Amino acid sequence: MLDLKIYDSKDEIAWCPGCGHFSILDGIKQTLAELEIKPHEAVIVSGIGQAAKMPHYLKANGFNGLHGRALPPAQGIKIVNKDLKVIVVGGDGDAYGEGGNHFLHAIRRNLDITQIVGDNQIYGLTKGQGSPTTFLGQVTSMQFEGVMQNPLNPLAIAISAGATFVGRAFSGDKETMVKVLKEAVNHKGYALVDIVEPCVSFNKVNTFKWYKDRVYRLPEEYDATDRAKAMEKALEFGDKIPTGIIYKEEGKPVFEDLHPIVKDNPPVVDREWNVKNVEKFLNEFK
C-alpha cells in the first residue's frame, strides 16, 4: 500500500464542516493507495459543483470542466491514453441533471472509466434547490411548495441501460465505500458508484442520521451478477437503502477494444507527431 500523503493537495478545502465530501475524498485516496495507483497514473475529472472541487483537493492529474460535462473529457482522456486510471467525480445535479445525457451514453460506450457521484439529494453549490434525486414534495430553498417532480433512480437507470458495474456506498461507512471503489476502479468497463451523503447546510431532510438509520450492507451471499435481483435492490430506496456492489457484469467489450485505432495502436500520447502528418488535412482548407 502506498503512503496516503502522496495524494495530499496544498489547496485549502472549502467544504462545510461535516460535509460528506470529506469522507469521499479520504475514500478515494485510500482506494488509490491500496491499489498502488500513483498520482501520475490517475486522472480525476469533474464538472462544476461542491463535489466537483475534488481535483483541487487530491494530488493527481486533474481536469475541472463545465457543469454536467465531466464525462466527455474523461472519455477523451481515456481514448488518447488508455493506460491512465480515469475517475470522474461530481454531485447528483452535475452527474444526473446537466450531465444526464452524457451519463446514458457513457454507459452505452462502456469505456473503462469509473464515475463517482456524491449524492446528497440537493444542489449544494447553488444553495439548496432540488436536484434530480430530491424527493417529491421536499421543500427546498427554491421549491417553497415542495419539489413537483419525481426523483430519478440512477442505479436503476444504469442497470437498465446496460452498465457493467453499479455500486452504492454511504459516506459514513468508509469500509464499504473503499471496498466498492476498489472493485469499481479495477473493473474493466464503465463503473458507477453512487455515494449517498449529507449536505449539512442545505438539506435538512436527508441528514447523516437519516442515512445512518436506513443504509445496510448487502450480505456476503448476495449475487451481484443476477441482473433481475440487482434491479430489485436498485429500486429499494427509502426505509431501507442497500450498499455494496449492486450489479457486476464481466466480459462485455469495452470501447477501447472495439475501436481499431485505439485497440491496435499505442496510446496517442506515446506516438510520434510531426506537422507533416497533418499537412494534407491543413492543405484542404487553402
Side-chain angles (χ1 to χ4, degrees):
M1 176 174 169
L2 300 177
D3 187 345
L4 287 169
K5 292 181 180 179
I6 68 173
Y7 307 105
D8 289 348
S9 167
K10 295 180 180 179
D11 288 3
E12 181 180 356
I13 297 179
W15 293 325
C16 302
C19 176
H21 298 331
F22 285 98
S23 179
I24 296 173
L25 173 61
D26 290 343
I28 295 174
K29 288 181 178 180
Q30 186 171 333
T31 297
L32 294 173
E34 291 190 11
L35 294 177
E36 299 191 345
I37 299 171
K38 298 174 183 177
H40 71 277
E41 296 172 333
V43 57
I44 312 299
V45 185
S46 72
I48 296 294
Q50 291 291 5
K53 293 177 180 178
M54 198 70 71
H56 302 280
Y57 306 147
L58 198 158
K59 187 178 179 182
N61 296 301
F63 184 94
N64 194 194
L66 301 175
H67 199 191
R69 305 293 182 258
L71 281 167
Q75 292 171 94
I77 290 166
K78 187 65 179 182
I79 288 170
V80 300
N81 192 351
K82 57 188 177 183
D83 294 334
L84 279 174
K85 286 292 186 182
V86 179
I87 299 173
V88 182
V89 181
D92 40 304
D94 188 42
Y96 306 137
E98 286 78 4
N101 189 52
H102 298 302
F103 168 55
L104 292 174
H105 293 292
I107 293 171
R108 292 182 57 229
R109 292 189 186 95
N110 197 36
L111 276 141
D112 186 14
I113 63 176
T114 303
Q115 183 171 17
I116 301 169
V117 181
D119 190 350
N120 54 25
Q121 299 183 254
I122 208 78
Y123 278 96
L125 184 68
T126 46
K127 307 301 184 284
Q129 71 267 37
S131 80
T133 57
T134 306
F135 289 143
L136 181 68
Q138 185 167 326
V139 176
T140 76
S141 63
M142 294 293 290
Q143 286 87 13
F144 307 121
E145 297 180 357
V147 172
M148 299 179 187
Q149 300 175 77
N150 289 299
L152 293 179
N153 185 319
L155 272 61
I157 291 172
I159 293 170
S160 64
T164 55
F165 186 103
V166 177
R168 177 187 284 128
F170 169 46
S171 65
D173 179 4
K174 188 176 178 182
E175 181 181 348
T176 300
M177 185 199 311
V178 172
K179 179 181 178 181
V180 174
L181 287 177
K182 286 170 64 177
E183 291 282 345
V185 172
N186 274 338
H187 176 73
K188 189 172 183 180
Y190 170 84
L192 170 69
V193 181
D194 186 88
I195 305 178
V196 293
E197 55 160 337
C199 173
V200 294
S201 294
F202 301 111
N203 190 340
K204 305 303 182 182
V205 175
N206 311 112
T207 62
F208 183 92
K209 184 180 186 304
W210 189 92
Y211 290 119
K212 186 71 173 178
D213 290 343
R214 289 165 173 78
V215 299
Y216 71 94
R217 298 177 180 179
L218 288 169
E220 290 294 328
E221 62 271 19
Y222 172 77
D223 182 7
T225 66
D226 186 331
R227 196 174 185 211
K229 180 61 70 175
M231 183 60 78
E232 287 182 20
K233 288 299 176 186
L235 294 173
E236 188 180 329
F237 193 95
D239 292 336
K240 295 291 183 181
I241 302 174
T243 61
I245 300 171
I246 307 296
Y247 181 67
K248 186 175 182 179
E249 177 185 347
E250 301 286 4
K252 190 173 183 178
V254 295
F255 183 86
E256 304 94 296
D257 291 343
L258 293 173
H259 198 298
I261 301 299
V262 181
K263 176 185 177 183
D264 301 328
N265 293 282
V268 173
V269 294
D270 294 334
R271 300 179 201 174
E272 291 186 10
W273 183 88
N274 190 294
V275 69
K276 291 183 177 180
N277 297 340
V278 295
E279 276 185 349
K280 65 176 183 178
F281 300 110
L282 294 173
N283 289 336
E284 293 178 3
F285 292 95
K286 291 183 177 180

